[in-house]
């Protein structure tokens, strides 16, 4: 493994080039997160209701409806950066995730994968460590 420090500018292609050279270490990441549910009537409103203002902004005299949270599934990739199992991925892949599962490429869809935990993230560089 090459552990020499990077030289020169770090840009968008830096991580892409590292990932390409280390393709055997690339992993698939699946995440689950909770999001507030939406009802289409929130946007389209009640067809019998003629007041356009109330259709889009709601009736201030009404109590807001309770929305059930929805489970949102997402996926991305990352790559193993050392023998200790740390994986570098994008922040947007794991941001807000309540569950993170890592699968090695080539293991098949029936592979349950390995549950991972977020170690740290940096939204500015869109990087995360799991």
């Amino acid at each position: 493994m090459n552990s020499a420090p990077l030289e020169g500018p770090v840009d968008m292609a830096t991580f892409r080039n590292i990932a390409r050279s280390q393709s055997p270490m690339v992993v698939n990441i699946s995440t689950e997160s909770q999001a507030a549910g939406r009802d289409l009537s929130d946007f389209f409103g009640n067809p019998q209701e003629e007041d356009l203002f109330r259709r889009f902004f709601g009736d201030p005299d009404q109590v807001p409806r309770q929305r059930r949270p929805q489970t949102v599934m997402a996926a991305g990739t990352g790559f193993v950066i050392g023998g200790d199992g740390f994986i570098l991925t994008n922040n947007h892949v794991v941001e807000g995730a309540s569950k993170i599962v890592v699968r090695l490429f080539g293991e098949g869809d029936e592979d349950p994968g390995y549950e991972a935990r977020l170690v740290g993230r940096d939204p500015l560089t869109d990087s995360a460590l799991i």
Side-chain angles (χ1 to χ4, degrees):
M1 178 168 82
N2 182 358
S3 61
L6 292 174
E7 294 181 8
V10 176
D11 58 14
M12 296 289 285
T14 303
F15 294 113
R16 188 177 16 225
N17 292 336
I18 293 169
R20 186 177 297 125
S21 70
Q22 301 298 320
S23 63
M25 298 179 193
V26 176
V27 297
N28 178 280
I29 300 170
S30 302
T31 62
E32 288 182 15
S33 60
Q34 300 297 314
R38 292 208 57 166
D39 185 350
L40 287 179
S41 65
D42 289 345
F43 179 75
F44 295 110
N46 185 341
Q48 286 80 26
E49 192 175 323
E50 296 298 322
D51 186 354
L52 195 57
F53 180 83
R54 280 191 169 80
R55 177 184 290 183
F56 287 100
F57 298 106
D59 188 345
D61 299 327
Q62 283 185 333
V63 177
R65 281 182 265 179
Q66 292 289 336
R67 294 188 174 121
R68 284 184 279 180
Q70 295 178 332
T71 301
V72 177
M73 309 287 284
T77 58
F79 58 98
V80 180
I81 60 171
D84 51 8
F86 286 113
I87 296 169
L88 184 64
T89 187
N90 294 106
N91 176 60
H92 70 265
V93 172
V94 296
E95 186 174 28
S98 56
K99 183 177 181 180
I100 304 170
V101 176
V102 175
R103 290 179 185 83
L104 302 175
F105 277 113
E107 296 298 316
D109 291 335
E110 53 281 336
D111 176 25
Y114 303 94
E115 193 153 341
R117 68 177 174 81
L118 182 64
V119 175
R121 62 188 188 88
D122 180 25
L124 186 60
T125 59
D126 193 28
S127 301
L129 187 66
I130 57 174

